[in-house]
Amino acid sequence: MLWGFRVDTNNNSGLGHVSRMLSIAEVLKKKEEIVFIVNNVNDSHCSHIKNLNYRFLESRSLSFMLDVCLLDGYFFKSKELEFLRNKSKKIIQIDDFDNNFKYTDQTINFLSKGAENVVVSNKFFENDFFKIKKNVSNILITFGMADNTNATLLTLNAIKIIETYIKANIYISLPTRNKYYKKIRNSIF
């Protein structure tokens, strides 16, 4: 079967979608043929796809039928989705926010199914620090470079509700290019 992985490689989206799709591709590549479909072949995130020797092309260059098109991103235009619908026997959307998409045959929401279903890079597990401890002294909160959904502030607001129960230092990764930077900083200080 031929799988098309339409991944958002726009620099404003961060690298999370690309990393997740590469992790899925690493599992499927033993049995399936995979082609990555990207915003622009010159996007900086495409280097990660290229370094793992996957074939990739821009959506408008897709000239063949896909058995399955797996979508991962937030900013696909309806015209492109219609094009992919016509070029695919089946469309599956990975969704982080529990949306219901009309153009897909199936939507997968890993987050609503629990943390054990979250797709992360295999490199994450190669590190020695991946051991869950009962008593922690430091917690890092990071939602990538872009954090377009402002998950950082939502998480901070949730922590404020339970902060009396937390006996740890909380660190936040807050890149200055985060569009909610000032709002988050004002919430902290």
Side-chain angles (χ1 to χ4, degrees):
M1 283 177 58
L2 177 58
W3 286 67
F5 282 21
R6 175 57 178 103
V7 61
D8 196 350
T9 55
N10 180 319
N11 289 336
N12 292 328
S13 293
L15 193 54
H17 300 293
V18 174
S19 296
R20 176 164 50 193
M21 293 294 256
L22 285 170
S23 295
I24 294 170
E26 287 297 301
V27 173
L28 289 178
K29 75 178 184 180
K30 296 170 187 157
K31 295 183 178 181
E32 311 294 346
E33 184 181 352
I34 297 167
V35 60
F36 277 81
I37 304 163
V38 300
N39 298 42
N40 183 317
V41 293
N42 296 316
D43 285 344
S44 61
H45 294 336
C46 290
S47 64
H48 299 279
I49 299 166
K50 186 177 184 178
N51 289 344
L52 290 172
N53 297 316
Y54 286 103
R55 182 171 57 139
F56 62 98
L57 52 89
E58 292 175 13
S59 186
R60 64 179 174 256
S61 302
L62 183 63
S63 59
F64 45 86
M65 280 298 287
L66 300 169
D67 292 302
V68 179
C69 183
L70 183 60
L71 305 169
D72 193 353
Y74 307 136
F75 305 110
F76 302 127
K77 294 187 168 117
S78 56
K79 189 174 182 179
E80 180 186 9
L81 294 171
E82 186 179 327
F83 173 76
L84 291 171
R85 173 86 259 169
N86 292 327
K87 288 286 186 180
S88 309
K89 294 177 186 171
K90 185 171 197 150
I91 292 196
I92 301 171
Q93 169 79 45
I94 295 177
D95 171 48
D96 295 327
F97 303 108
D98 219 10
N99 293 312
N100 235 343
F101 297 103
K102 296 176 184 167
Y103 55 83
T104 63
D105 296 298
Q106 185 171 356
T107 300
I108 300 171
N109 184 298
F110 293 111
L111 300 180
S112 70
K113 304 294 184 207
E116 67 274 8
N117 295 305
V118 174
V119 177
V120 295
S121 169
N122 291 336
K123 292 179 183 177
F124 184 77
F125 297 103
E126 293 171 4
N127 296 303
D128 291 336
F129 67 82
F130 188 72
K131 292 184 180 154
I132 299 173
K133 299 177 184 176
K134 288 184 180 180
N135 298 313
V136 296
S137 54
N138 298 304
I139 299 170
L140 172 65
I141 298 171
T142 178
F143 289 96
M145 291 296 283
D147 188 17
N148 289 317
T149 61
N150 202 11
T152 303
L153 188 57
L154 294 171
T155 302
L156 287 174
N157 289 337
I159 287 172
K160 286 178 184 178
I161 295 169
I162 61 166
E163 69 183 328
T164 56
Y165 301 104
I166 298 174
K167 295 177 170 97
N169 299 311
I170 298 175
Y171 298 92
I172 301 163
S173 171
L174 185 58
T176 54
R177 73 181 241 196
N178 181 313
K179 67 182 178 182
Y180 301 103
Y181 178 82
K182 287 182 183 176
K183 196 173 187 179
I184 295 168
R185 276 200 58 89
N186 290 340
S187 145
I188 299 169
F189 301 109

